[in-house]
Amino acid sequence: MKKYVKDLKVKAVEFPHEWYVLLKLTDEEPLPESVPGQFVEVKVEGSPQTFLRRPISINYVDREKNELWLLIKKVGQGTHKLAELKVGDTLNVVFPLGNGFSPVQKQGEKVLLVGGGVGVAPLLDYGKYLKEQGAEPVFLLGARSQSDLLEQELFKAIAPVYVTTEDGSAGEKGFVTQHTLLNKEKFDRISVCGPKPMMVSVARYAKATNTPCEVSLENMMACGLGACLCCVEKTVKGNVCVCKEGPVFDINDLTWEI
Amino acid sequence: MADLTTKIAGLTMKNPVMTASGTFGYGLEFADFVNLEEIGGIIVKGTTLHPREGNDYPRMVETASGMLNCVGLQNKGVDYFCEHIYPEIKDIRTNMIVNVSGSSPEDYAECAAKVNALEGIPAIELNISCPNVKQGGMAFGVTTEGAATVVKAVREVYDKTLIVKLSPNVTSIADIALAVQDAGADAVSLINTLMGMVIDIEKRKPVLSIATGGMSGPAVKPVAVRCVWQVAKAVSIPVVGLGGIMNAHDAIEFFLAGASAIEIGTANFIDPTVTVKVAQGINEWLDAHGCQSVGEIVGQLNA
């Protein structure tokens, strides 16, 4: 899939929660082809401490409106600077990068999509794709509290949504792996994106129930192109670049203790 | 339009812009962004006699105007390069140069000899300055004796253009440069990364897996310019300058300090098209200043 470096235009800036910003980007030309689970590397202007690009997963691609959505958690100076972008500003983006989630395997397959925190972002695009391709996605989304559950209405418009919050203010109280859904239903496969401890516990559940499972990693990156070999993950094939061979990996290819 | 043709010993390049090893993969990773044939030379990832897995993650940490890395020469070895990668890159009409590293003079020589047999590789860059491996690497590059031993061993088996990449982590880089010149190097390139360290104050642990790493990016540029200036005054062989070059202005500084060509490294991570932009920018600067060639400004500092 061809990669591009482009100055995209900021079409909308939304703040779903104080920790997050949603940037809707567009271009005069049709946006390049991409698959769910791929990511972009954005250049942050005006932040002296932010030297490298920031890798951000693709939250959603709206082909009709020619929009690329980036749902960003404000963590450091770079992401805070991104949250200051205004409608009409440009953002320099290298994309689409990485492998993305698995394509549909068979019609009617039940795919559990598990997301935690800002890790829910790429699951919106993936869920929509799966639904369109004849699969049956089910979302299981985790957050600290009801207020930081992201894009709930958009997820619900695609497929059933199950929720856990750490304080119990929405859905079931606890972590995603404690949700009763997991004891009731069997899935053909699972895709996960979120904090590493969450992904490890979902991977354990998948292994215990013999369910195929893929996880999306977010190792620290520099180039995003497989050139610098900085973002490597240990796999059964040795150290491989998360930016190029990933970010999505089958849990059987990783060396996690699960 | 100025003539950007650049000669480094036996190597002729269409312009003085090269890519620094380890920052541009094998060139193919950037083929969607730039026409590789518009780059003077592409120095590919550090290659060793045997495959290396490199160091554990984390291997990279961002710093003010730069970054540290401790990749540790991860590569699949020279035989894999010759069989699988060389056929993919040999017909790209630029100078494909292999960066060679090792853990003993014999390793370096054996690896260099294998690359010598590849018709489409007109030069090697000998890495005696990697700060991220326990054995070899920088150990050879920090003494005049060590540097000369490796260069002599390689010179015996390698008959094309031999560029030797120097470490700034030394007392006198000019002394090392003189030693490798005497040992038979055709050119020197400098600087490799500066050894640095970043600490996570909450964990009270170094961020990088092996504690230290090599610093690169615009933060190191003044150190690199100083090293090029000192070395260019000392040696009679061509000097290739690198260290933090982000644009044509930076490149011109290196030419004035005495570099005949330059390498672009970390900037490739920020802008994958930076190489061709720098080449164009050099051309524009030379035109604007009435210069016919890069050679006219090499080492031309006013007293």
Side-chain angles (χ1 to χ4, degrees), chain A residues 1-5 50-54 94 219-223 225-230 232 234 238-239, chain B residues 22 24-25 29-30 32-33 45 53 55-57 59-60 62 65-67 71 74 218 246 266 269-270 273:
Chain A
M1 196 171 291
K2 186 168 161 64
K3 299 188 254 308
Y4 297 82
V5 53
T50 310
F51 174 65
L52 296 167
R53 285 176 180 268
R54 289 294 180 268
V94 176
N219 293 10
M220 293 287 288
M221 284 176 195
C223 73
L225 304 170
C228 70
L229 311 185
C230 288
V232 292
K234 226 172 229 158
N239 287 326
Chain B
F24 208 67
E29 292 85 345
F30 288 75
D32 281 347
F33 304 105
K45 178 71 194 158
E53 270 300 307
N55 293 318
D56 284 345
Y57 180 87
R59 292 177 170 184
M60 189 276 293
E62 190 176 35
S65 293
M67 57 181 275
V71 171
Q74 178 179 334
M246 299 296 285
T266 306
F269 306 157
I270 315 301
T273 67

Side-chain angles (χ1 to χ4, degrees), chain B residues 139-185:
Chain B
F140 292 107
V142 294
T143 64
T144 51
E145 297 80 11
T149 304
V150 174
V151 174
K152 272 183 194 150
V154 171
R155 184 78 282 179
E156 280 181 22
V157 298
Y158 190 76
D159 53 26
K160 293 186 244 178
T161 301
L162 173 58
I163 305 166
V164 180
K165 189 171 185 177
L166 304 181
S167 172
N169 304 304
V170 294
T171 312
S172 168
I173 194 166
D175 287 348
I176 309 283
L178 282 169
V180 305
Q181 172 179 273
D182 291 347

Side-chain angles (χ1 to χ4, degrees), chain A residues 87-164:
Chain A
V87 172
D89 287 349
T90 57
L91 186 63
N92 187 266
V93 180
V94 176
F95 70 121
L97 303 173
N99 59 353
F101 291 113
S102 295
V104 158
Q105 316 283 306
K106 61 174 191 282
Q107 289 295 304
E109 64 172 339
K110 283 183 74 176
V111 187
L112 180 65
L113 306 181
V114 187
V118 75
V120 304
L123 302 181
L124 185 67
D125 203 34
Y126 189 40
K128 176 172 171 275
Y129 158 84
L130 289 173
K131 188 75 185 174
E132 284 172 356
Q133 298 295 314
E136 285 182 37
V138 173
F139 296 108
L140 174 55
L141 308 175
R144 298 246 181 102
S145 177
Q146 182 170 23
S147 66
D148 60 294
L149 274 167
L150 296 161
E151 299 184 329
Q152 290 302 291
E153 295 311 313
L154 297 169
F155 282 110
K156 282 176 191 162
I158 295 169
V161 178
Y162 297 86
V163 165
T164 61

